[in-house]
CSV table of all heavy atoms in Angstrom, one decimal:
chain,number,residue,atom,x,y,z
A,1365,MET,N,0.9,-1.2,0.0
A,1365,MET,CA,0.0,0.0,0.0
A,1365,MET,C,0.9,1.2,0.0
A,1365,MET,O,1.6,1.5,0.9
A,1365,MET,CB,-0.9,0.0,1.2
A,1365,MET,CG,-0.2,-0.4,2.5
A,1365,MET,SD,-1.4,-0.5,3.8
A,1365,MET,CE,-0.7,-1.9,4.8
A,1366,PRO,N,0.8,2.0,-1.0
A,1366,PRO,CA,1.7,3.1,-1.2
A,1366,PRO,C,1.2,4.3,-0.3
A,1366,PRO,O,0.0,4.6,-0.2
A,1366,PRO,CB,1.6,3.5,-2.7
A,1366,PRO,CG,0.2,3.0,-3.1
A,1366,PRO,CD,-0.1,1.8,-2.2
A,1367,ILE,N,2.2,5.0,0.2
A,1367,ILE,CA,1.9,6.3,0.8
A,1367,ILE,C,2.4,7.4,0.0
A,1367,ILE,O,3.6,7.5,-0.4
A,1367,ILE,CB,2.6,6.4,2.2
A,1367,ILE,CG1,2.0,5.3,3.1
A,1367,ILE,CG2,2.4,7.7,2.8
A,1367,ILE,CD1,2.6,5.2,4.5
A,1368,TYR,N,1.5,8.3,-0.4
A,1368,TYR,CA,1.9,9.4,-1.2
A,1368,TYR,C,1.8,10.7,-0.5
A,1368,TYR,O,1.1,10.9,0.5
A,1368,TYR,CB,0.9,9.5,-2.4
A,1368,TYR,CG,1.0,8.4,-3.4
A,1368,TYR,CD1,-0.1,7.7,-3.8
A,1368,TYR,CD2,2.3,8.0,-3.9
A,1368,TYR,CE1,0.0,6.6,-4.7
A,1368,TYR,CE2,2.4,6.9,-4.8
A,1368,TYR,CZ,1.2,6.2,-5.2
A,1368,TYR,OH,1.3,5.2,-6.0
A,1369,GLU,N,2.6,11.7,-0.9
A,1369,GLU,CA,2.6,13.0,-0.3
A,1369,GLU,C,1.9,13.9,-1.2
A,1369,GLU,O,2.1,13.9,-2.5
A,1369,GLU,CB,4.0,13.5,0.0
A,1369,GLU,CG,4.1,14.8,0.7
A,1369,GLU,CD,5.5,15.1,1.2
A,1369,GLU,OE1,6.4,14.2,1.1
A,1369,GLU,OE2,5.7,16.2,1.6
A,1370,TYR,N,1.0,14.8,-0.7
A,1370,TYR,CA,0.2,15.7,-1.5
A,1370,TYR,C,0.4,17.1,-1.0
A,1370,TYR,O,0.7,17.3,0.2
A,1370,TYR,CB,-1.3,15.3,-1.4
A,1370,TYR,CG,-1.6,14.0,-2.1
A,1370,TYR,CD1,-1.4,12.8,-1.4
A,1370,TYR,CD2,-2.0,14.0,-3.4
A,1370,TYR,CE1,-1.7,11.6,-2.0
A,1370,TYR,CE2,-2.2,12.8,-4.1
A,1370,TYR,CZ,-2.1,11.6,-3.3
A,1370,TYR,OH,-2.4,10.4,-4.0
A,1371,ARG,N,0.2,18.0,-1.9
A,1371,ARG,CA,0.3,19.4,-1.5
A,1371,ARG,C,-1.0,20.1,-2.0
A,1371,ARG,O,-1.5,19.9,-3.1
A,1371,ARG,CB,1.5,20.1,-2.2
A,1371,ARG,CG,1.5,21.6,-1.9
A,1371,ARG,CD,2.7,22.3,-2.6
A,1371,ARG,NE,3.9,21.7,-2.0
A,1371,ARG,CZ,5.0,21.4,-2.8
A,1371,ARG,NH1,4.9,21.5,-4.1
A,1371,ARG,NH2,6.1,21.0,-2.2
A,1372,CYS,N,-1.6,20.9,-1.1
A,1372,CYS,CA,-2.8,21.6,-1.3
A,1372,CYS,C,-2.5,22.8,-2.2
A,1372,CYS,O,-1.6,23.6,-2.0
A,1372,CYS,CB,-3.4,22.0,0.0
A,1372,CYS,SG,-4.9,23.1,-0.2
A,1373,ASP,N,-3.4,23.0,-3.2
A,1373,ASP,CA,-3.2,24.1,-4.1
A,1373,ASP,C,-3.6,25.4,-3.4
A,1373,ASP,O,-3.1,26.5,-3.8
A,1373,ASP,CB,-4.1,24.0,-5.3
A,1373,ASP,CG,-3.5,23.0,-6.4
A,1373,ASP,OD1,-2.3,22.8,-6.3
A,1373,ASP,OD2,-4.2,22.6,-7.3
A,1374,GLN,N,-4.4,25.4,-2.4
A,1374,GLN,CA,-5.0,26.6,-1.8
A,1374,GLN,C,-4.1,27.1,-0.7
A,1374,GLN,O,-3.8,28.3,-0.7
A,1374,GLN,CB,-6.4,26.3,-1.3
A,1374,GLN,CG,-7.0,27.5,-0.7
A,1374,GLN,CD,-8.5,27.4,-0.8
A,1374,GLN,OE1,-9.2,27.4,-1.8
A,1374,GLN,NE2,-9.1,27.1,0.4
A,1375,CYS,N,-3.7,26.2,0.2
A,1375,CYS,CA,-2.9,26.7,1.4
A,1375,CYS,C,-1.5,26.2,1.4
A,1375,CYS,O,-0.7,26.5,2.3
A,1375,CYS,CB,-3.6,26.3,2.7
A,1375,CYS,SG,-3.5,24.5,3.0
A,1376,SER,N,-1.1,25.5,0.3
A,1376,SER,CA,0.2,24.9,0.2
A,1376,SER,C,0.6,24.0,1.3
A,1376,SER,O,1.8,23.6,1.5
A,1376,SER,CB,1.3,26.1,0.1
A,1376,SER,OG,1.0,26.8,-1.1
A,1377,GLY,N,-0.4,23.5,2.1
A,1377,GLY,CA,-0.1,22.6,3.1
A,1377,GLY,C,0.2,21.2,2.5
A,1377,GLY,O,-0.3,20.8,1.5
A,1378,GLU,N,1.1,20.5,3.1
A,1378,GLU,CA,1.5,19.2,2.6
A,1378,GLU,C,1.1,18.1,3.6
A,1378,GLU,O,1.1,18.3,4.8
A,1378,GLU,CB,3.0,19.1,2.4
A,1378,GLU,CG,3.5,20.0,1.3
A,1378,GLU,CD,4.9,19.8,0.9
A,1378,GLU,OE1,5.6,19.0,1.6
A,1378,GLU,OE2,5.4,20.5,0.0
A,1379,PHE,N,0.6,17.0,3.1
A,1379,PHE,CA,0.2,15.9,4.0
A,1379,PHE,C,0.4,14.6,3.2
A,1379,PHE,O,0.5,14.5,2.0
A,1379,PHE,CB,-1.2,16.1,4.4
A,1379,PHE,CG,-2.2,16.2,3.2
A,1379,PHE,CD1,-2.9,15.1,2.8
A,1379,PHE,CD2,-2.3,17.4,2.5
A,1379,PHE,CE1,-3.8,15.2,1.7
A,1379,PHE,CE2,-3.2,17.5,1.4
A,1379,PHE,CZ,-3.9,16.4,1.0
A,1380,GLU,N,0.5,13.5,4.0
A,1380,GLU,CA,0.7,12.2,3.5
A,1380,GLU,C,-0.6,11.4,3.5
A,1380,GLU,O,-1.4,11.5,4.5
A,1380,GLU,CB,1.8,11.4,4.2
A,1380,GLU,CG,3.1,12.1,4.1
A,1380,GLU,CD,4.2,11.4,4.9
A,1380,GLU,OE1,3.9,10.5,5.6
A,1380,GLU,OE2,5.3,11.9,4.8
A,1381,VAL,N,-0.8,10.6,2.5
A,1381,VAL,CA,-2.1,9.8,2.5
A,1381,VAL,C,-1.7,8.4,2.0
A,1381,VAL,O,-0.9,8.2,1.1
A,1381,VAL,CB,-3.1,10.4,1.4
A,1381,VAL,CG1,-4.3,9.5,1.4
A,1381,VAL,CG2,-3.5,11.8,1.9
A,1382,LEU,N,-2.3,7.5,2.7
A,1382,LEU,CA,-2.2,6.1,2.3
A,1382,LEU,C,-3.2,5.8,1.3
A,1382,LEU,O,-4.4,5.8,1.6
A,1382,LEU,CB,-2.3,5.2,3.5
A,1382,LEU,CG,-1.9,3.7,3.4
A,1382,LEU,CD1,-1.6,3.1,4.8
A,1382,LEU,CD2,-2.9,2.9,2.7
A,1383,VAL,N,-2.8,5.6,0.1
A,1383,VAL,CA,-3.8,5.4,-1.0
A,1383,VAL,C,-4.0,3.9,-1.4
A,1383,VAL,O,-3.1,3.2,-1.8
A,1383,VAL,CB,-3.3,6.2,-2.3
A,1383,VAL,CG1,-4.2,6.0,-3.4
A,1383,VAL,CG2,-3.1,7.6,-2.0
A,1384,TRP,N,-5.2,3.5,-1.2
A,1384,TRP,CA,-5.5,2.1,-1.5
A,1384,TRP,C,-5.8,1.9,-3.0
A,1384,TRP,O,-5.5,0.8,-3.5
A,1384,TRP,CB,-6.8,1.7,-0.7
A,1384,TRP,CG,-6.5,1.7,0.8
A,1384,TRP,CD1,-6.8,2.8,1.6
A,1384,TRP,CD2,-6.0,0.7,1.6
A,1384,TRP,NE1,-6.4,2.4,2.9
A,1384,TRP,CE2,-5.9,1.1,2.9
A,1384,TRP,CE3,-5.5,-0.6,1.3
A,1384,TRP,CZ2,-5.4,0.4,3.9
A,1384,TRP,CZ3,-5.0,-1.4,2.3
A,1384,TRP,CH2,-5.0,-0.9,3.6
A,1385,SER,N,-6.3,2.9,-3.6
A,1385,SER,CA,-6.6,2.7,-5.0
A,1385,SER,C,-6.6,4.1,-5.7
A,1385,SER,O,-6.7,5.1,-5.0
A,1385,SER,CB,-8.0,2.0,-5.3
A,1385,SER,OG,-9.0,2.9,-4.9
A,1386,ALA,N,-6.6,4.1,-7.0
A,1386,ALA,CA,-6.6,5.3,-7.7
A,1386,ALA,C,-7.8,6.1,-7.4
A,1386,ALA,O,-7.8,7.4,-7.4
A,1386,ALA,CB,-6.4,5.1,-9.2
A,1387,ARG,N,-8.9,5.5,-7.1
A,1387,ARG,CA,-10.2,6.1,-6.9
A,1387,ARG,C,-10.1,7.0,-5.6
A,1387,ARG,O,-10.7,8.0,-5.5
A,1387,ARG,CB,-11.3,5.1,-6.7
A,1387,ARG,CG,-12.6,5.7,-6.2
A,1387,ARG,CD,-13.7,4.7,-6.4
A,1387,ARG,NE,-14.1,4.6,-7.8
A,1387,ARG,CZ,-15.3,4.0,-8.1
A,1387,ARG,NH1,-16.1,3.6,-7.2
A,1387,ARG,NH2,-15.6,3.9,-9.4
A,1388,ASP,N,-9.3,6.5,-4.6
A,1388,ASP,CA,-9.1,7.3,-3.4
A,1388,ASP,C,-8.6,8.7,-3.7
A,1388,ASP,O,-8.9,9.6,-2.9
A,1388,ASP,CB,-8.2,6.6,-2.5
A,1388,ASP,CG,-8.8,5.4,-1.8
A,1388,ASP,OD1,-10.0,5.2,-2.0
A,1388,ASP,OD2,-8.1,4.6,-1.1
A,1389,GLU,N,-7.8,8.8,-4.7
A,1389,GLU,CA,-7.2,10.1,-4.9
A,1389,GLU,C,-8.3,11.2,-5.3
A,1389,GLU,O,-8.1,12.4,-5.0
A,1389,GLU,CB,-6.2,10.0,-6.1
A,1389,GLU,CG,-4.9,9.4,-5.7
A,1389,GLU,CD,-3.9,9.6,-6.7
A,1389,GLU,OE1,-4.1,9.3,-7.9
A,1389,GLU,OE2,-2.8,10.1,-6.4
A,1390,THR,N,-9.3,10.8,-5.9
A,1390,THR,CA,-10.3,11.7,-6.3
A,1390,THR,C,-11.1,12.3,-5.1
A,1390,THR,O,-11.8,13.3,-5.2
A,1390,THR,CB,-11.3,11.1,-7.3
A,1390,THR,OG1,-12.1,10.1,-6.6
A,1390,THR,CG2,-10.6,10.5,-8.5
A,1391,ASN,N,-11.0,11.6,-4.0
A,1391,ASN,CA,-11.8,12.1,-2.8
A,1391,ASN,C,-10.9,12.8,-1.8
A,1391,ASN,O,-11.3,13.1,-0.7
A,1391,ASN,CB,-12.4,10.9,-2.1
A,1391,ASN,CG,-13.4,10.2,-3.0
A,1391,ASN,OD1,-14.2,10.9,-3.7
A,1391,ASN,ND2,-13.5,8.9,-3.0
A,1392,LEU,N,-9.6,13.1,-2.2
A,1392,LEU,CA,-8.7,13.7,-1.2
A,1392,LEU,C,-9.1,15.1,-0.9
A,1392,LEU,O,-9.5,15.9,-1.8
A,1392,LEU,CB,-7.3,13.6,-1.8
A,1392,LEU,CG,-6.7,12.2,-1.7
A,1392,LEU,CD1,-5.3,12.3,-2.4
A,1392,LEU,CD2,-6.6,11.7,-0.3
A,1393,LYS,N,-9.0,15.4,0.4
A,1393,LYS,CA,-9.2,16.8,0.8
A,1393,LYS,C,-8.0,17.2,1.7
A,1393,LYS,O,-7.4,16.4,2.4
A,1393,LYS,CB,-10.5,17.0,1.6
A,1393,LYS,CG,-11.7,17.0,0.7
A,1393,LYS,CD,-12.9,17.5,1.5
A,1393,LYS,CE,-13.2,16.6,2.6
A,1393,LYS,NZ,-14.5,17.0,3.3
A,1394,CYS,N,-7.7,18.5,1.6
A,1394,CYS,CA,-6.6,19.0,2.4
A,1394,CYS,C,-7.1,19.0,3.9
A,1394,CYS,O,-8.2,19.5,4.2
A,1394,CYS,CB,-6.3,20.5,2.0
A,1394,CYS,SG,-5.2,21.3,3.2
A,1395,PRO,N,-6.3,18.4,4.8
A,1395,PRO,CA,-6.7,18.3,6.2
A,1395,PRO,C,-6.7,19.7,6.9
A,1395,PRO,O,-7.3,19.8,8.0
A,1395,PRO,CB,-5.7,17.4,6.8
A,1395,PRO,CG,-4.5,17.5,5.9
A,1395,PRO,CD,-5.0,17.8,4.5
A,1396,LYS,N,-6.1,20.7,6.3
A,1396,LYS,CA,-6.0,22.0,6.9
A,1396,LYS,C,-7.2,22.9,6.6
A,1396,LYS,O,-7.8,23.5,7.4
A,1396,LYS,CB,-4.7,22.7,6.5
A,1396,LYS,CG,-3.4,22.0,7.1
A,1396,LYS,CD,-2.2,22.7,6.7
A,1396,LYS,CE,-0.9,22.0,7.3
A,1396,LYS,NZ,0.3,22.7,6.9
A,1397,CYS,N,-7.5,22.9,5.2
A,1397,CYS,CA,-8.5,23.9,4.8
A,1397,CYS,C,-9.6,23.2,4.1
A,1397,CYS,O,-10.6,23.8,3.8
A,1397,CYS,CB,-7.8,24.9,3.9
A,1397,CYS,SG,-7.4,24.3,2.3
A,1398,GLY,N,-9.5,21.9,3.9
A,1398,GLY,CA,-10.7,21.2,3.3
A,1398,GLY,C,-10.8,21.3,1.7
A,1398,GLY,O,-11.7,20.8,1.1
A,1399,HIS,N,-9.8,22.0,1.2
A,1399,HIS,CA,-9.8,22.2,-0.3
A,1399,HIS,C,-9.6,20.8,-1.0
A,1399,HIS,O,-8.8,20.0,-0.5
A,1399,HIS,CB,-8.7,23.2,-0.6
A,1399,HIS,CG,-8.7,23.6,-2.1
A,1399,HIS,ND1,-9.7,24.2,-2.7
A,1399,HIS,CD2,-7.7,23.4,-3.0
A,1399,HIS,CE1,-9.4,24.4,-4.0
A,1399,HIS,NE2,-8.2,23.9,-4.2
A,1400,THR,N,-10.2,20.6,-2.1
A,1400,THR,CA,-10.1,19.3,-2.8
A,1400,THR,C,-9.1,19.4,-3.9
A,1400,THR,O,-8.8,18.3,-4.5
A,1400,THR,CB,-11.4,18.9,-3.3
A,1400,THR,OG1,-11.9,19.9,-4.2
A,1400,THR,CG2,-12.4,18.6,-2.2
A,1401,GLY,N,-8.5,20.5,-4.1
A,1401,GLY,CA,-7.5,20.6,-5.2
A,1401,GLY,C,-6.1,20.3,-4.7
A,1401,GLY,O,-5.3,21.2,-4.5
A,1402,VAL,N,-5.8,19.1,-4.5
A,1402,VAL,CA,-4.5,18.7,-4.1
A,1402,VAL,C,-3.8,17.9,-5.2
A,1402,VAL,O,-4.4,17.3,-6.0
A,1402,VAL,CB,-4.6,17.8,-2.8
A,1402,VAL,CG1,-5.3,18.5,-1.7
A,1402,VAL,CG2,-5.3,16.5,-3.1
A,1403,ARG,N,-2.5,18.0,-5.1
A,1403,ARG,CA,-1.7,17.3,-6.1
A,1403,ARG,C,-0.6,16.5,-5.5
A,1403,ARG,O,0.0,16.9,-4.5
A,1403,ARG,CB,-1.1,18.3,-7.1
A,1403,ARG,CG,-0.1,19.3,-6.6
A,1403,ARG,CD,0.4,20.3,-7.6
A,1403,ARG,NE,-0.7,21.2,-8.1
A,1403,ARG,CZ,-0.6,22.0,-9.1
A,1403,ARG,NH1,0.5,21.9,-9.8
A,1403,ARG,NH2,-1.5,22.8,-9.4
A,1404,ARG,N,-0.2,15.4,-6.1
A,1404,ARG,CA,0.8,14.6,-5.5
A,1404,ARG,C,2.2,15.2,-5.7
A,1404,ARG,O,2.4,15.7,-6.8
A,1404,ARG,CB,0.7,13.2,-6.2
A,1404,ARG,CG,1.6,12.2,-5.5
A,1404,ARG,CD,1.6,10.9,-6.4
A,1404,ARG,NE,0.3,10.3,-6.6
A,1404,ARG,CZ,0.1,9.3,-7.4
A,1404,ARG,NH1,1.1,8.8,-8.1
A,1404,ARG,NH2,-1.1,8.8,-7.5
A,1405,VAL,N,3.0,15.1,-4.7
A,1405,VAL,CA,4.4,15.5,-4.9
A,1405,VAL,C,5.3,14.3,-4.7
A,1405,VAL,O,4.8,13.3,-4.1
A,1405,VAL,CB,4.7,16.6,-3.9
A,1405,VAL,CG1,3.9,17.9,-4.1
A,1405,VAL,CG2,4.5,16.2,-2.4
A,1406,LEU,N,6.5,14.5,-5.1
A,1406,LEU,CA,7.3,13.3,-5.3
A,1406,LEU,C,8.5,13.3,-4.3
A,1406,LEU,O,9.6,12.9,-4.7
A,1406,LEU,CB,7.8,13.1,-6.7
A,1406,LEU,CG,6.7,12.9,-7.7
A,1406,LEU,CD1,7.2,12.9,-9.1
A,1406,LEU,CD2,6.0,11.6,-7.4
A,1407,SER,N,8.3,13.8,-3.1
A,1407,SER,CA,9.4,13.8,-2.1
A,1407,SER,C,9.3,12.6,-1.2
A,1407,SER,O,9.7,12.6,-0.1
A,1407,SER,CB,9.3,15.1,-1.3
A,1407,SER,OG,8.1,15.2,-0.7
A,1408,ALA,N,8.7,11.5,-1.7
A,1408,ALA,CA,8.4,10.4,-0.9
A,1408,ALA,C,9.6,9.6,-0.4
A,1408,ALA,O,9.5,8.9,0.5
A,1408,ALA,CB,7.4,9.5,-1.6
A,1409,CYS,N,10.7,9.8,-1.1
A,1409,CYS,CA,11.9,9.1,-0.7
A,1409,CYS,C,12.3,9.3,0.7
A,1409,CYS,O,12.5,8.4,1.5
A,1409,CYS,CB,13.1,9.5,-1.6
A,1409,CYS,SG,12.9,8.9,-3.3
A,1410,VAL,N,12.3,10.6,1.1
A,1410,VAL,CA,12.7,10.9,2.5
A,1410,VAL,C,11.7,10.3,3.5
A,1410,VAL,O,12.0,9.8,4.5
A,1410,VAL,CB,12.7,12.5,2.7
A,1410,VAL,CG1,12.9,12.8,4.1
A,1410,VAL,CG2,13.8,13.0,1.8
A,1411,ASN,N,10.4,10.4,3.1
A,1411,ASN,CA,9.4,9.9,4.0
A,1411,ASN,C,9.5,8.4,4.2
A,1411,ASN,O,9.2,7.8,5.2
A,1411,ASN,CB,8.0,10.3,3.5
A,1411,ASN,CG,7.8,11.8,3.5
A,1411,ASN,OD1,8.2,12.4,4.5
A,1411,ASN,ND2,7.3,12.3,2.4
A,1412,ARG,N,9.8,7.7,3.1
A,1412,ARG,CA,9.9,6.3,3.1
A,1412,ARG,C,11.1,5.9,4.0
A,1412,ARG,O,11.0,4.9,4.7
A,1412,ARG,CB,10.0,5.7,1.7
A,1412,ARG,CG,8.7,5.8,0.9
A,1412,ARG,CD,8.7,4.7,-0.2
A,1412,ARG,NE,7.4,4.7,-0.8
A,1412,ARG,CZ,7.1,5.2,-2.0
A,1412,ARG,NH1,8.1,5.8,-2.7
A,1412,ARG,NH2,5.9,5.1,-2.5
A,1413,ASN,N,12.1,6.6,3.9
A,1413,ASN,CA,13.3,6.3,4.8
A,1413,ASN,C,13.0,6.5,6.2
A,1413,ASN,O,13.4,5.8,7.1
A,1413,ASN,CB,14.5,7.2,4.4
A,1413,ASN,CG,15.0,6.8,3.0
A,1413,ASN,OD1,14.8,5.6,2.6
A,1413,ASN,ND2,15.7,7.7,2.4
A,1414,ARG,N,12.2,7.5,6.5
A,1414,ARG,CA,11.8,7.8,7.9
A,1414,ARG,C,11.0,6.7,8.5
A,1414,ARG,O,11.1,6.3,9.6
A,1414,ARG,CB,11.0,9.2,7.9
A,1414,ARG,CG,10.8,9.7,9.3
A,1414,ARG,CD,10.1,11.0,9.3
A,1414,ARG,NE,8.7,10.8,8.7
A,1414,ARG,CZ,8.0,11.8,8.1
A,1414,ARG,NH1,8.5,13.0,8.0
A,1414,ARG,NH2,6.8,11.6,7.6
A,1415,SER,N,10.0,6.2,7.7
A,1415,SER,CA,9.2,5.1,8.2
A,1415,SER,C,9.7,3.8,7.6
A,1415,SER,O,9.1,3.2,6.7
A,1415,SER,CB,7.7,5.4,7.8
A,1415,SER,OG,7.7,5.7,6.4
A,1416,ALA,N,10.9,3.5,8.0
A,1416,ALA,CA,11.6,2.4,7.4
A,1416,ALA,C,10.8,1.1,7.4
A,1416,ALA,O,10.1,0.8,8.3
A,1416,ALA,CB,12.9,2.1,8.1
A,1417,GLY,N,10.9,0.4,6.3
A,1417,GLY,CA,10.2,-0.9,6.2
A,1417,GLY,C,8.9,-0.9,5.5
A,1417,GLY,O,8.4,-1.9,5.0
A,1418,LEU,N,8.4,0.3,5.3
A,1418,LEU,CA,7.1,0.4,4.6
A,1418,LEU,C,7.2,0.1,3.1
A,1418,LEU,O,6.4,-0.6,2.6
A,1418,LEU,CB,6.5,1.8,4.7
A,1418,LEU,CG,5.6,2.1,5.9
A,1418,LEU,CD1,5.1,3.5,5.9
A,1418,LEU,CD2,4.4,1.1,5.9
A,1419,SER,N,8.3,0.5,2.6
A,1419,SER,CA,8.5,0.3,1.1
A,1419,SER,C,9.9,0.3,0.8
A,1419,SER,O,10.7,1.0,1.4
A,1419,SER,CB,7.7,1.4,0.4
A,1419,SER,OG,8.1,1.3,-1.0
A,1420,SER,N,10.3,-0.5,-0.2
A,1420,SER,CA,11.7,-0.5,-0.7
A,1420,SER,C,11.7,0.1,-2.0
A,1420,SER,O,12.6,-0.2,-2.8
A,1420,SER,CB,12.2,-1.9,-0.7
A,1420,SER,OG,11.4,-2.8,-1.5
A,1421,ALA,N,10.8,0.9,-2.4
A,1421,ALA,CA,10.7,1.5,-3.7
A,1421,ALA,C,12.0,2.3,-3.9
A,1421,ALA,O,12.5,3.0,-3.0
A,1421,ALA,CB,9.5,2.4,-3.8
A,1422,PRO,N,12.5,2.3,-5.1
A,1422,PRO,CA,13.7,3.0,-5.5
A,1422,PRO,C,13.5,4.5,-5.4
A,1422,PRO,O,12.4,5.0,-5.7
A,1422,PRO,CB,14.0,2.5,-6.9
A,1422,PRO,CG,12.8,2.1,-7.4
A,1422,PRO,CD,11.9,1.5,-6.3
A,1423,CYS,N,14.5,5.2,-5.1
A,1423,CYS,CA,14.4,6.7,-5.0
A,1423,CYS,C,15.1,7.3,-6.2
A,1423,CYS,O,15.6,8.4,-6.1
A,1423,CYS,CB,15.0,7.2,-3.7
A,1423,CYS,SG,13.9,6.8,-2.3
A,1424,GLY,N,15.3,6.6,-7.2
A,1424,GLY,CA,16.0,7.1,-8.4
A,1424,GLY,C,15.1,8.0,-9.3
A,1424,GLY,O,13.9,8.3,-8.9
A,1425,PRO,N,15.6,8.4,-10.4
A,1425,PRO,CA,14.8,9.2,-11.4
A,1425,PRO,C,13.6,8.6,-11.8
A,1425,PRO,O,12.6,9.2,-12.2
A,1425,PRO,CB,15.8,9.4,-12.5
A,1425,PRO,CG,17.2,9.1,-12.0
A,1425,PRO,CD,17.0,8.1,-10.9
A,1426,SER,N,13.5,7.2,-11.7
A,1426,SER,CA,12.3,6.5,-12.2
A,1426,SER,C,11.1,6.9,-11.4
A,1426,SER,O,10.0,6.7,-11.8
A,1426,SER,CB,12.5,5.0,-12.1
A,1426,SER,OG,12.8,4.7,-10.7
A,1427,SER,N,11.2,7.5,-10.2
A,1427,SER,CA,10.1,7.9,-9.4
A,1427,SER,C,9.3,9.0,-10.1
A,1427,SER,O,8.1,9.2,-9.7
A,1427,SER,CB,10.5,8.3,-8.0
A,1427,SER,OG,11.4,9.5,-8.1
A,1428,GLY,N,9.9,9.6,-11.0
A,1428,GLY,CA,9.2,10.7,-11.8
A,1428,GLY,C,8.1,10.1,-12.7
A,1428,GLY,O,7.4,10.9,-13.3
A,1429,ALA,N,8.0,8.8,-12.8
A,1429,ALA,CA,7.0,8.2,-13.7
A,1429,ALA,C,5.6,8.6,-13.3
A,1429,ALA,O,4.7,8.5,-14.1
A,1429,ALA,CB,7.2,6.7,-13.7
A,1430,PHE,N,5.4,9.0,-12.1
A,1430,PHE,CA,4.1,9.3,-11.6
A,1430,PHE,C,3.5,10.5,-12.3
A,1430,PHE,O,2.3,10.6,-12.6
A,1430,PHE,CB,4.0,9.6,-10.1
A,1430,PHE,CG,4.1,8.4,-9.3
A,1430,PHE,CD1,5.1,8.2,-8.4
A,1430,PHE,CD2,3.2,7.3,-9.5
A,1430,PHE,CE1,5.2,7.0,-7.6
A,1430,PHE,CE2,3.3,6.2,-8.7
A,1430,PHE,CZ,4.3,6.0,-7.8
A,1431,SER,N,4.3,11.4,-12.7
A,1431,SER,CA,3.8,12.6,-13.3
A,1431,SER,C,3.9,12.4,-14.8
A,1431,SER,O,3.0,12.6,-15.5
A,1431,SER,CB,4.7,13.8,-12.9
A,1431,SER,OG,6.0,13.6,-13.4
B,1643,ZN,ZN1,-5.2,23.4,2.1
């Protein structure tokens, strides 16, 4: 189960979400202001290292494939 980091378009707040399926993304809301216009950011490497063991996904240039 991937954990993605998102940034709110409205307040620029960043938060992490455990996404079970692509459909979950359409329902995402900013926890700070409730705005639904959030976009995924790709700084997940640091977060994955912090929560060691969650994922062994590579942190190379290939992570840009999401965008
Ligand atoms: Zn927000």
Side-chain angles (χ1 to χ4, degrees):
M1365 44 185 144
I1367 295 178
Y1368 294 129
E1369 185 171 350
Y1370 294 85
R1371 177 180 296 136
C1372 174
D1373 280 345
Q1374 183 155 289
C1375 72
S1376 297
E1378 295 186 358
F1379 55 100
E1380 294 175 359
V1381 177
L1382 195 159
V1383 179
W1384 295 92
S1385 70
R1387 170 170 285 197
D1388 284 353
E1389 283 195 307
T1390 65
N1391 296 322
L1392 286 178
K1393 282 196 297 186
C1394 171
K1396 292 182 181 176
C1397 70
H1399 186 63
T1400 53
V1402 300
R1403 66 182 67 191
R1404 191 188 298 173
V1405 295
L1406 296 175
S1407 57
C1409 291
V1410 174
N1411 296 316
R1412 286 204 173 105
N1413 289 338
R1414 191 179 62 205
S1415 48
L1418 269 181
S1419 172
S1420 59
C1423 289
S1426 61
S1427 61
F1430 283 123
S1431 61

